[in-house]
Amino acid sequence: MISPSSGTLRSSWSRARRALVVATAGLLAAAGLIALPNTADAATTLGASAAERGRYFGTAVAANRLGEAAYASTLNTEFNSVTAENEMKWDATERTRNSFTFGAADQIVNHARSRGMRVRGHTLVWHSQLPSWVGGLNANDLRAAMNNHINQVMGRYRGQIDSWDVVNEAFQDGNSGARRSSPFQDRLGNGYIEEAFRTARAADPNAKLCYNDYNTDGVNAKSNAVYNMVRDFRARGVPIDCVGFQSHFNSASPVPSDFQANLQRFADLGVEVQITELDIAGSGTAQANSYSRVVNACLAVSRCTGITVWGVTDKYSWRASDTPLLFDGNYNKKPAYTAVLNALNASGGGGGAAGCTLTYTETQRWGDRFNGQVTVTAGSAPISGWTATVTVHSPQRVSTTWHGSPTWDSSGTVLTMRPNGNGALSAGGSTSFGFTVMANGNWTAPTLGSCVATA
Ligand code: 9MR
Protein backbone atom coordinates (compact mmCIF):
# COMPACT_ATOMS: atom_id res chain seq x y z
CA MET A 1 0.00 0.00 0.00
CA ILE A 2 1.20 3.50 -0.73
CA SER A 3 1.05 5.60 2.39
CA PRO A 4 0.64 9.40 2.14
CA SER A 5 4.16 9.74 3.45
CA SER A 6 5.69 7.63 0.69
CA GLY A 7 8.31 9.53 -1.27
CA THR A 8 6.61 9.88 -4.65
CA LEU A 9 3.21 10.74 -3.34
CA ARG A 10 4.52 13.20 -0.81
CA SER A 11 6.71 14.95 -3.32
CA SER A 12 4.00 15.19 -5.95
CA TRP A 13 1.56 16.45 -3.29
CA SER A 14 3.97 19.07 -2.05
CA ARG A 15 4.79 20.01 -5.64
CA ALA A 16 1.08 20.54 -6.30
CA ARG A 17 0.69 22.57 -3.12
CA ARG A 18 3.77 24.62 -3.95
CA ALA A 19 2.41 25.25 -7.45
CA LEU A 20 -0.86 26.47 -5.94
CA VAL A 21 0.92 28.79 -3.53
CA VAL A 22 3.15 30.15 -6.28
CA ALA A 23 0.20 30.62 -8.64
CA THR A 24 -1.83 32.41 -5.95
CA ALA A 25 1.09 34.61 -5.02
CA GLY A 26 1.65 35.36 -8.70
CA LEU A 27 -1.96 36.48 -9.10
CA LEU A 28 -1.76 38.67 -6.01
CA ALA A 29 1.51 40.13 -7.22
CA ALA A 30 0.08 40.77 -10.68
CA ALA A 31 -2.79 42.60 -9.02
CA GLY A 32 -0.23 44.72 -7.20
CA LEU A 33 -1.40 43.42 -3.82
CA ILE A 34 1.84 41.84 -2.65
CA ALA A 35 5.47 42.12 -3.63
CA LEU A 36 7.37 39.00 -4.64
CA PRO A 37 11.07 38.84 -3.88
CA ASN A 38 13.20 38.31 -6.97
CA THR A 39 14.82 35.11 -5.81
CA ALA A 40 14.06 32.95 -8.86
CA ASP A 41 16.66 30.16 -9.20
CA ALA A 42 18.98 32.15 -6.94
CA ALA A 43 21.40 29.38 -6.19
CA THR A 44 21.29 27.30 -9.35
CA THR A 45 23.15 29.36 -11.93
CA LEU A 46 26.57 30.95 -11.85
CA GLY A 47 25.25 34.47 -12.31
CA ALA A 48 22.49 34.24 -9.72
CA SER A 49 24.75 32.56 -7.18
CA ALA A 50 27.47 35.15 -7.68
CA ALA A 51 24.88 37.93 -7.36
CA GLU A 52 23.91 36.56 -3.96
CA ARG A 53 27.54 37.12 -2.97
CA GLY A 54 27.46 40.65 -4.38
CA ARG A 55 29.46 39.73 -7.46
CA TYR A 56 29.00 39.12 -11.16
CA PHE A 57 29.91 35.98 -13.06
CA GLY A 58 30.71 36.63 -16.69
CA THR A 59 32.12 35.07 -19.81
CA ALA A 60 33.89 36.15 -22.96
CA VAL A 61 31.61 35.82 -25.97
CA ALA A 62 32.06 35.82 -29.74
CA ALA A 63 29.39 37.61 -31.78
CA ASN A 64 29.44 34.96 -34.49
CA ARG A 65 28.45 32.23 -32.02
CA LEU A 66 25.34 33.96 -30.66
CA GLY A 67 23.21 32.30 -33.33
CA GLU A 68 24.08 28.82 -32.03
CA ALA A 69 21.13 27.82 -29.84
CA ALA A 70 23.04 25.89 -27.18
CA TYR A 71 25.69 28.61 -26.96
CA ALA A 72 23.11 31.35 -26.51
CA SER A 73 21.02 29.42 -24.02
CA THR A 74 24.04 28.51 -21.88
CA LEU A 75 25.18 32.12 -21.97
CA ASN A 76 21.73 33.50 -21.17
CA THR A 77 21.05 31.05 -18.37
CA GLU A 78 24.35 31.02 -16.55
CA PHE A 79 26.08 34.36 -16.91
CA ASN A 80 25.25 37.94 -15.93
CA SER A 81 28.20 39.73 -17.49
CA VAL A 82 29.90 39.50 -20.87
CA THR A 83 33.19 40.57 -22.43
CA ALA A 84 33.58 40.73 -26.21
CA GLU A 85 36.39 38.25 -26.88
CA ASN A 86 37.66 40.18 -29.91
CA GLU A 87 34.97 42.53 -31.20
CA MET A 88 35.93 45.70 -29.33
CA LYS A 89 39.65 45.49 -30.03
CA TRP A 90 41.38 48.08 -32.17
CA ASP A 91 41.68 45.84 -35.25
CA ALA A 92 37.93 45.18 -35.08
CA THR A 93 36.75 48.73 -34.41
CA GLU A 94 39.24 50.94 -36.31
CA ARG A 95 41.00 48.85 -38.92
CA THR A 96 41.43 51.97 -41.05
CA ARG A 97 42.23 55.27 -39.40
CA ASN A 98 39.16 57.14 -38.22
CA SER A 99 36.77 54.72 -39.89
CA PHE A 100 34.94 52.93 -37.10
CA THR A 101 33.01 49.67 -37.37
CA PHE A 102 30.85 48.55 -34.46
CA GLY A 103 28.53 45.93 -35.94
CA ALA A 104 29.84 42.88 -34.09
CA ALA A 105 30.45 44.79 -30.86
CA ASP A 106 26.94 46.24 -31.00
CA GLN A 107 25.53 42.75 -31.41
CA ILE A 108 27.20 41.63 -28.17
CA VAL A 109 26.27 44.76 -26.22
CA ASN A 110 22.64 44.56 -27.36
CA HIS A 111 22.41 40.85 -26.61
CA ALA A 112 23.76 41.39 -23.11
CA ARG A 113 21.94 44.55 -22.14
CA SER A 114 18.55 43.42 -23.39
CA ARG A 115 18.91 40.55 -20.93
CA GLY A 116 20.09 42.65 -18.02
CA MET A 117 23.71 41.48 -18.21
CA ARG A 118 26.64 43.77 -17.55
CA VAL A 119 29.26 44.41 -20.20
CA ARG A 120 33.01 44.65 -19.66
CA GLY A 121 34.78 46.65 -22.36
CA HIS A 122 37.91 44.97 -23.74
CA THR A 123 40.23 46.66 -24.71
CA LEU A 124 41.31 50.15 -25.83
CA VAL A 125 45.10 50.41 -25.81
CA TRP A 126 47.03 47.19 -26.45
CA HIS A 127 50.12 46.27 -28.44
CA SER A 128 48.35 43.27 -30.01
CA GLN A 129 45.51 43.10 -32.53
CA LEU A 130 46.64 46.58 -33.47
CA PRO A 131 46.36 47.56 -37.16
CA SER A 132 49.73 48.25 -38.78
CA TRP A 133 48.86 51.90 -39.58
CA VAL A 134 49.09 52.72 -35.87
CA GLY A 135 52.73 51.62 -35.77
CA GLY A 136 53.55 53.94 -38.65
CA LEU A 137 52.56 57.20 -36.92
CA ASN A 138 54.91 59.75 -35.39
CA ALA A 139 54.51 60.66 -31.71
CA ASN A 140 52.10 63.57 -32.13
CA ASP A 141 49.95 61.70 -34.56
CA LEU A 142 49.96 58.57 -32.44
CA ARG A 143 48.88 60.50 -29.35
CA ALA A 144 45.99 62.00 -31.31
CA ALA A 145 45.06 58.58 -32.74
CA MET A 146 45.12 56.92 -29.31
CA ASN A 147 42.92 59.56 -27.74
CA ASN A 148 40.56 59.57 -30.71
CA HIS A 149 40.27 55.79 -30.54
CA ILE A 150 39.40 55.93 -26.84
CA ASN A 151 36.90 58.73 -27.36
CA GLN A 152 35.15 57.08 -30.29
CA VAL A 153 34.91 53.56 -28.89
CA MET A 154 34.01 54.60 -25.35
CA GLY A 155 31.67 57.25 -26.71
CA ARG A 156 29.78 54.64 -28.71
CA TYR A 157 28.93 52.72 -25.54
CA ARG A 158 28.87 55.60 -23.09
CA GLY A 159 26.76 54.67 -20.06
CA GLN A 160 26.50 51.04 -21.11
CA ILE A 161 29.80 49.55 -19.96
CA ASP A 162 30.44 48.54 -16.39
CA SER A 163 34.25 48.42 -16.62
CA TRP A 164 36.71 49.13 -19.43
CA ASP A 165 40.12 47.52 -19.83
CA VAL A 166 41.66 50.85 -20.79
CA VAL A 167 45.21 49.54 -21.13
CA ASN A 168 46.06 45.86 -21.57
CA GLU A 169 49.34 43.99 -21.05
CA ALA A 170 51.69 46.96 -20.90
CA PHE A 171 54.41 45.23 -18.87
CA GLN A 172 57.04 42.71 -19.95
CA ASP A 173 57.15 39.15 -18.76
CA GLY A 174 60.09 38.08 -16.63
CA ASN A 175 61.84 39.74 -13.77
CA SER A 176 62.60 43.17 -15.13
CA GLY A 177 59.33 44.84 -14.18
CA ALA A 178 59.90 46.93 -17.31
CA ARG A 179 57.33 48.20 -19.72
CA ARG A 180 56.67 46.17 -22.86
CA SER A 181 57.82 47.62 -26.14
CA SER A 182 54.87 48.82 -28.26
CA PRO A 183 54.21 51.77 -30.55
CA PHE A 184 52.66 53.57 -27.55
CA GLN A 185 55.53 52.85 -25.17
CA ASP A 186 58.25 53.43 -27.74
CA ARG A 187 56.93 56.71 -29.12
CA LEU A 188 55.00 58.26 -26.22
CA GLY A 189 57.03 56.96 -23.27
CA ASN A 190 55.79 55.91 -19.82
CA GLY A 191 53.16 58.66 -19.70
CA TYR A 192 50.93 57.06 -22.31
CA ILE A 193 49.09 54.89 -19.75
CA GLU A 194 48.22 57.85 -17.57
CA GLU A 195 47.10 59.81 -20.61
CA ALA A 196 44.89 56.93 -21.77
CA PHE A 197 43.19 56.75 -18.36
CA ARG A 198 42.59 60.50 -18.21
CA THR A 199 41.08 60.47 -21.69
CA ALA A 200 38.95 57.46 -20.77
CA ARG A 201 37.53 59.12 -17.65
CA ALA A 202 36.26 62.04 -19.68
CA ALA A 203 34.95 59.79 -22.47
CA ASP A 204 32.63 57.83 -20.14
CA PRO A 205 32.58 59.07 -16.55
CA ASN A 206 30.29 56.20 -15.49
CA ALA A 207 32.56 53.37 -16.59
CA LYS A 208 35.06 51.91 -14.16
CA LEU A 209 38.54 52.12 -15.63
CA CYS A 210 40.78 49.06 -15.33
CA TYR A 211 44.35 48.10 -16.05
CA ASN A 212 44.39 44.44 -17.20
CA ASP A 213 47.27 41.96 -17.47
CA TYR A 214 48.37 38.30 -17.24
CA ASN A 215 51.04 36.62 -15.11
CA THR A 216 50.28 39.24 -12.49
CA ASP A 217 48.08 36.84 -10.51
CA GLY A 218 50.63 36.15 -7.78
CA VAL A 219 53.22 38.40 -6.15
CA ASN A 220 56.11 38.63 -8.64
CA ALA A 221 58.24 41.21 -10.44
CA LYS A 222 55.59 41.91 -13.04
CA SER A 223 52.73 42.31 -10.54
CA ASN A 224 55.01 44.45 -8.37
CA ALA A 225 55.54 46.78 -11.32
CA VAL A 226 51.78 47.02 -11.91
CA TYR A 227 51.21 47.51 -8.19
CA ASN A 228 53.68 50.40 -8.10
CA MET A 229 52.00 52.02 -11.07
CA VAL A 230 48.53 51.73 -9.52
CA ARG A 231 49.80 53.05 -6.18
CA ASP A 232 51.36 56.00 -7.94
CA PHE A 233 48.15 56.67 -9.92
CA ARG A 234 46.08 56.60 -6.73
CA ALA A 235 48.53 58.91 -4.96
CA ARG A 236 48.49 61.45 -7.79
CA GLY A 237 44.78 61.24 -8.58
CA VAL A 238 45.18 59.62 -11.99
CA PRO A 239 41.77 58.03 -12.60
CA ILE A 240 41.94 54.25 -12.14
CA ASP A 241 39.17 52.18 -10.53
CA CYS A 242 40.08 48.57 -11.04
CA VAL A 243 42.75 46.06 -11.89
CA GLY A 244 41.99 43.01 -14.00
CA PHE A 245 43.82 39.75 -13.34
CA GLN A 246 43.47 37.63 -16.47
CA SER A 247 44.16 34.34 -14.66
CA HIS A 248 45.05 32.03 -17.56
CA PHE A 249 46.35 28.97 -15.71
CA ASN A 250 47.90 25.66 -16.77
CA SER A 251 50.33 23.17 -15.25
CA ALA A 252 53.31 25.38 -16.01
CA SER A 253 51.52 28.36 -14.55
CA PRO A 254 49.12 27.09 -11.86
CA VAL A 255 46.94 29.19 -9.53
CA PRO A 256 49.63 30.86 -7.38
CA SER A 257 49.63 30.11 -3.66
CA ASP A 258 49.53 33.84 -2.95
CA PHE A 259 46.71 34.58 -5.40
CA GLN A 260 44.35 35.86 -2.68
CA ALA A 261 47.09 37.84 -0.96
CA ASN A 262 47.98 39.47 -4.25
CA LEU A 263 44.36 40.44 -4.96
CA GLN A 264 44.12 41.82 -1.44
CA ARG A 265 47.20 44.03 -1.69
CA PHE A 266 45.80 45.66 -4.83
CA ALA A 267 42.38 46.00 -3.19
CA ASP A 268 44.10 47.73 -0.29
CA LEU A 269 45.15 50.48 -2.72
CA GLY A 270 41.44 51.31 -2.96
CA VAL A 271 40.77 49.79 -6.39
CA GLU A 272 38.37 47.01 -7.31
CA VAL A 273 39.96 43.79 -8.41
CA GLN A 274 38.33 41.62 -11.05
CA ILE A 275 39.25 38.22 -12.44
CA THR A 276 38.88 38.96 -16.10
CA GLU A 277 39.87 36.02 -18.36
CA LEU A 278 39.83 32.94 -16.16
CA ASP A 279 40.58 29.58 -17.72
CA ILE A 280 42.43 26.63 -16.24
CA ALA A 281 43.86 23.81 -18.38
CA GLY A 282 42.93 20.29 -17.27
CA SER A 283 39.94 18.19 -16.37
CA GLY A 284 38.16 16.40 -13.55
CA THR A 285 38.85 17.00 -9.90
CA ALA A 286 42.19 18.73 -10.34
CA GLN A 287 40.68 21.36 -12.60
CA ALA A 288 37.62 21.66 -10.34
CA ASN A 289 39.80 22.24 -7.26
CA SER A 290 41.77 24.98 -8.99
CA TYR A 291 38.56 26.71 -10.01
CA SER A 292 37.29 26.54 -6.40
CA ARG A 293 40.47 28.16 -5.18
CA VAL A 294 40.07 31.06 -7.57
CA VAL A 295 36.42 31.60 -6.62
CA ASN A 296 37.17 31.39 -2.91
CA ALA A 297 40.01 33.87 -3.27
CA CYS A 298 37.68 36.36 -4.92
CA LEU A 299 34.98 35.81 -2.29
CA ALA A 300 37.51 36.42 0.46
CA VAL A 301 38.48 39.85 -0.92
CA SER A 302 35.58 42.24 -0.47
CA ARG A 303 36.72 44.47 -3.34
CA CYS A 304 36.86 41.50 -5.74
CA THR A 305 33.68 42.33 -7.60
CA GLY A 306 33.44 39.60 -10.21
CA ILE A 307 34.85 36.77 -12.24
CA THR A 308 34.83 36.34 -16.01
CA VAL A 309 35.75 33.04 -17.64
CA TRP A 310 37.36 33.28 -21.07
CA GLY A 311 34.64 31.54 -23.04
CA VAL A 312 31.41 29.56 -22.70
CA THR A 313 32.51 26.17 -24.02
CA ASP A 314 35.78 24.29 -24.42
CA LYS A 315 35.17 23.88 -28.13
CA TYR A 316 35.57 27.60 -28.84
CA SER A 317 38.31 28.31 -26.32
CA TRP A 318 41.42 30.10 -27.64
CA ARG A 319 43.24 27.03 -26.34
CA ALA A 320 40.59 24.37 -26.93
CA SER A 321 42.97 21.42 -26.55
CA ASP A 322 43.53 22.44 -22.90
CA THR A 323 39.76 22.05 -22.19
CA PRO A 324 40.06 25.00 -19.78
CA LEU A 325 36.41 26.07 -19.34
CA LEU A 326 33.31 25.13 -17.33
CA PHE A 327 31.23 23.57 -20.14
CA ASP A 328 32.55 20.85 -22.44
CA GLY A 329 32.19 20.92 -26.21
CA ASN A 330 28.61 19.64 -25.94
CA TYR A 331 27.66 22.22 -23.31
CA ASN A 332 27.65 19.65 -20.52
CA LYS A 333 28.53 21.01 -17.10
CA LYS A 334 31.98 19.82 -16.07
CA PRO A 335 33.13 19.06 -12.50
CA ALA A 336 34.73 22.52 -12.63
CA TYR A 337 31.26 24.04 -13.13
CA THR A 338 29.90 22.27 -10.06
CA ALA A 339 32.92 23.32 -8.04
CA VAL A 340 32.41 26.97 -8.98
CA LEU A 341 28.69 26.85 -8.21
CA ASN A 342 29.30 25.17 -4.86
CA ALA A 343 31.98 27.67 -3.92
CA LEU A 344 29.66 30.55 -4.78
CA ASN A 345 26.84 29.00 -2.77
CA ALA A 346 28.91 27.99 0.25
CA SER A 347 28.21 30.20 3.23
CA GLY A 348 30.97 31.48 5.41
CA GLY A 349 33.53 31.17 2.64
CA GLY A 350 34.78 34.59 3.58
CA GLY A 351 33.93 38.00 2.25
CA GLY A 352 30.45 38.10 3.78
CA ALA A 353 27.22 37.60 1.92
CA ALA A 354 27.04 40.96 0.23
CA GLY A 355 24.04 40.78 -2.02
CA CYS A 356 20.70 42.38 -2.65
CA THR A 357 17.20 41.46 -3.71
CA LEU A 358 14.46 43.39 -5.47
CA THR A 359 10.75 43.62 -4.83
CA TYR A 360 8.20 45.45 -6.92
CA THR A 361 4.97 47.24 -6.01
CA GLU A 362 2.63 49.30 -8.11
CA THR A 363 1.95 52.45 -6.09
CA GLN A 364 -0.50 54.37 -8.25
CA ARG A 365 -2.50 54.02 -11.46
CA TRP A 366 -4.14 56.48 -13.85
CA GLY A 367 -6.06 55.97 -17.10
CA ASP A 368 -2.92 55.92 -19.21
CA ARG A 369 -0.03 55.15 -16.83
CA PHE A 370 1.09 53.72 -13.51
CA ASN A 371 3.84 54.30 -10.99
CA GLY A 372 6.09 51.41 -9.98
CA GLN A 373 8.39 51.21 -6.99
CA VAL A 374 11.31 48.81 -6.67
CA THR A 375 12.75 48.20 -3.24
CA VAL A 376 16.38 47.15 -3.04
CA THR A 377 17.16 45.19 0.11
CA ALA A 378 20.69 44.26 1.18
CA GLY A 379 21.41 40.69 2.24
CA SER A 380 23.09 39.76 5.49
CA ALA A 381 26.07 42.04 4.86
CA PRO A 382 26.23 45.80 4.37
CA ILE A 383 26.67 46.98 0.77
CA SER A 384 28.13 50.16 -0.68
CA GLY A 385 26.21 50.13 -3.96
CA TRP A 386 23.81 48.21 -6.15
CA THR A 387 22.79 47.79 -9.79
CA ALA A 388 19.22 46.74 -10.50
CA THR A 389 17.60 45.90 -13.81
CA VAL A 390 13.92 46.21 -14.62
CA THR A 391 12.26 45.37 -17.95
CA VAL A 392 9.00 46.96 -19.07
CA HIS A 393 6.87 45.37 -21.75
CA SER A 394 6.59 47.03 -25.13
CA PRO A 395 4.78 49.21 -26.13
CA GLN A 396 5.15 50.41 -22.53
CA ARG A 397 7.65 53.21 -22.03
CA VAL A 398 9.07 54.70 -18.85
CA SER A 399 8.51 58.45 -18.87
CA THR A 400 10.34 59.40 -15.70
CA THR A 401 12.32 57.88 -12.82
CA TRP A 402 13.31 59.02 -9.34
CA HIS A 403 15.72 58.11 -6.52
CA GLY A 404 18.23 56.49 -8.87
CA SER A 405 20.55 57.01 -11.77
CA PRO A 406 19.04 55.34 -14.87
CA THR A 407 20.57 53.99 -18.07
CA TRP A 408 18.71 52.27 -20.89
CA ASP A 409 19.38 49.58 -23.44
CA SER A 410 18.90 50.40 -27.11
CA SER A 411 15.34 49.01 -27.17
CA GLY A 412 14.31 51.47 -24.45
CA THR A 413 12.66 48.75 -22.37
CA VAL A 414 15.49 47.57 -20.11
CA LEU A 415 16.22 50.01 -17.33
CA THR A 416 19.48 49.63 -15.43
CA MET A 417 19.23 51.62 -12.23
CA ARG A 418 22.18 52.58 -10.08
CA PRO A 419 22.09 54.60 -6.85
CA ASN A 420 21.84 58.35 -6.69
CA GLY A 421 23.10 58.96 -3.17
CA ASN A 422 21.26 55.89 -1.86
CA GLY A 423 23.86 53.19 -2.55
CA ALA A 424 25.03 52.38 0.96
CA LEU A 425 22.75 49.97 2.82
CA SER A 426 23.27 48.30 6.15
CA ALA A 427 22.77 44.52 6.42
CA GLY A 428 19.08 43.92 5.72
CA GLY A 429 18.55 47.63 5.03
CA SER A 430 16.60 48.87 2.04
CA THR A 431 16.01 51.79 -0.29
CA SER A 432 13.59 52.32 -3.17
CA PHE A 433 13.53 53.87 -6.59
CA GLY A 434 10.50 54.61 -8.68
CA PHE A 435 9.29 55.25 -12.21
CA THR A 436 6.23 56.10 -14.24
CA VAL A 437 5.28 53.65 -16.98
CA MET A 438 3.17 54.89 -19.90
CA ALA A 439 1.07 51.77 -20.44
CA ASN A 440 0.20 52.33 -24.11
CA GLY A 441 -2.48 49.69 -23.62
CA ASN A 442 -0.26 47.11 -21.89
CA TRP A 443 -0.78 46.85 -18.11
CA THR A 444 1.63 43.98 -17.47
CA ALA A 445 3.77 44.55 -14.38
CA PRO A 446 7.46 45.16 -15.11
CA THR A 447 9.79 42.16 -14.81
CA LEU A 448 12.56 42.41 -12.25
CA GLY A 449 16.05 41.39 -13.38
CA SER A 450 19.18 40.99 -11.33
CA CYS A 451 20.30 42.97 -8.31
CA VAL A 452 24.08 43.12 -8.11
CA ALA A 453 25.57 44.55 -4.93
CA THR A 454 28.95 46.15 -4.39
CA ALA A 455 30.49 45.05 -1.12
O1 9MR B 1 40.71 34.77 -27.03
C1 9MR B 1 41.23 35.71 -27.92
C2 9MR B 1 41.54 35.02 -29.26
O2 9MR B 1 40.33 34.66 -29.90
C3 9MR B 1 42.34 35.94 -30.14
O3 9MR B 1 42.75 35.22 -31.30
C4 9MR B 1 43.55 36.44 -29.39
C5 9MR B 1 44.35 37.37 -30.26
O4 9MR B 1 45.31 38.09 -29.57
O5 9MR B 1 43.14 37.13 -28.21
C6 9MR B 1 42.50 36.28 -27.31
O6 9MR B 1 42.17 36.97 -26.13
C7 9MR B 1 43.26 37.48 -25.37
C8 9MR B 1 42.78 38.72 -24.66
O7 9MR B 1 42.24 39.64 -25.58
C9 9MR B 1 43.90 39.37 -23.86
N1 9MR B 1 44.52 38.44 -22.96
C10 9MR B 1 44.92 37.16 -23.53
C11 9MR B 1 43.74 36.52 -24.27
C12 9MR B 1 44.10 35.14 -24.77
O8 9MR B 1 45.12 35.20 -25.71
Side-chain angles (χ1 to χ4, degrees):
M1 180 192 134
I2 301 174
S3 81
S5 62
S6 88
T8 338
L9 198 59
R10 190 177 50 206
S11 71
S12 57
W13 168 240
S14 61
R15 248 200 322 273
R17 204 170 42 190
R18 207 164 44 233
L20 188 67
V21 171
V22 169
T24 312
L27 285 175
L28 292 173
L33 296 173
I34 63 161
L36 281 182
N38 174 41
T39 51
D41 66 15
T44 60
T45 67
L46 301 171
S49 300
E52 295 222 316
R53 308 299 293 272
R55 287 157 173 92
Y56 66 83
F57 204 96
T59 178
V61 296
N64 62 2
R65 305 292 181 199
L66 291 172
E68 185 179 321
Y71 184 96
S73 72
T74 307
L75 165 65
N76 298 346
T77 305
E78 293 289 344
F79 298 96
N80 58 9
S81 172
V82 302
T83 306
E85 187 169 357
N86 290 297
E87 291 78 350
M88 289 190 186
K89 293 172 180 176
W90 198 312
D91 65 351
T93 51
E94 194 187 5
R95 179 168 283 282
T96 307
R97 189 169 186 184
N98 216 19
S99 161
F100 287 85
T101 45
F102 292 115
D106 282 357
Q107 223 185 312
I108 291 174
V109 172
N110 292 339
H111 183 101
R113 287 181 52 82
S114 63
R115 291 166 177 81
M117 302 173 183
R118 303 182 182 207
V119 183
R120 295 196 80 261
H122 176 81
T123 177
L124 297 164
V125 182
W126 187 28
H127 68 277
S128 182
Q129 289 178 274
L130 189 64
S132 54
W133 64 264
V134 181
L137 303 178
N138 66 33
N140 281 343
D141 231 5
L142 178 62
R143 184 185 306 284
M146 178 183 85
N147 289 324
N148 182 51
H149 184 79
I150 294 169
N151 283 327
Q152 297 297 324
V153 179
M154 287 187 83
R156 173 79 174 189
Y157 302 110
R158 192 178 159 106
Q160 300 183 37
I161 304 285
D162 181 70
S163 307
W164 262 109
D165 293 332
V166 177
V167 176
N168 194 40
E169 302 176 5
F171 287 83
Q172 270 177 28
D173 289 323
N175 291 325
S176 70
R179 293 289 187 84
R180 179 197 294 274
S181 166
S182 71
F184 309 106
Q185 181 67 35
D186 301 349
R187 266 163 239 148
L188 305 180
N190 283 347
Y192 87 89
I193 299 186
E194 171 172 351
E195 180 161 350
F197 275 85
R198 290 190 189 280
T199 302
R201 177 64 92 225
D204 184 353
N206 288 318
K208 286 177 276 189
L209 307 180
C210 303
Y211 175 79
N212 191 52
D213 214 329
Y214 67 91
N215 285 354
T216 49
D217 316 302
V219 176
N220 57 37
K222 188 172 175 180
S223 66
N224 286 344
V226 175
Y227 179 86
N228 289 336
M229 177 185 77
V230 175
R231 188 174 53 186
D232 169 58
F233 279 15
R234 301 288 296 175
R236 291 191 296 112
V238 179
I240 184 167
D241 308 301
C242 38
V243 177
F245 297 83
Q246 293 186 10
S247 307
H248 294 292
F249 299 121
N250 57 25
S251 55
S253 171
V255 183
S257 56
D258 53 6
F259 185 60
Q260 182 182 319
N262 190 48
L263 296 178
Q264 187 65 58
R265 72 168 174 153
F266 278 86
D268 290 342
L269 294 174
V271 287
E272 274 188 21
V273 294
Q274 303 182 18
I275 295 166
T276 50
E277 302 182 15
L278 177 62
D279 56 8
I280 307 178
S283 61
T285 311
Q287 183 181 47
N289 289 342
S290 296
Y291 265 102
S292 304
R293 285 196 45 217
V294 171
V295 173
N296 284 329
C298 180
L299 292 174
V301 175
S302 60
R303 284 203 175 100
C304 181
T305 52
I307 298 174
T308 298
V309 289
W310 204 239
V312 175
T313 158
D314 281 341
K315 73 172 163 172
Y316 299 139
S317 164
W318 69 295
R319 42 181 194 157
S321 61
D322 284 347
T323 62
L325 295 170
L326 302 178
F327 292 87
D328 71 15
N330 297 315
Y331 299 96
N332 295 312
K333 294 169 178 172
K334 296 166 61 180
Y337 170 93
T338 310
V340 168
L341 192 67
N342 289 344
L344 291 171
N345 286 335
S347 56
C356 52
T357 52
L358 306 178
T359 55
Y360 171 76
T361 352
E362 183 179 314
T363 52
Q364 217 170 342
R365 186 179 281 211
W366 296 267
D368 57 346
R369 63 194 193 279
F370 59 93
N371 279 353
Q373 174 175 296
V374 172
T375 300
V376 181
T377 305
S380 55
I383 62 176
S384 62
W386 43 267
T387 303
T389 54
V390 179
T391 303
V392 297
H393 303 282
S394 192
Q396 293 175 344
R397 280 291 177 273
V398 173
S399 57
T400 178
T401 73
W402 51 94
H403 299 328
S405 167
T407 53
W408 296 94
D409 77 324
S410 55
S411 74
T413 57
V414 183
L415 162 66
T416 299
M417 191 66 107
R418 295 190 173 81
N420 182 8
N422 53 346
L425 300 176
S426 56
S430 61
T431 185
S432 296
F433 62 87
F435 44 81
T436 300
V437 179
M438 301 308 300
N440 293 321
N442 184 347
W443 294 93
T444 315
T447 305
L448 297 178
S450 60
C451 186
V452 179
T454 312

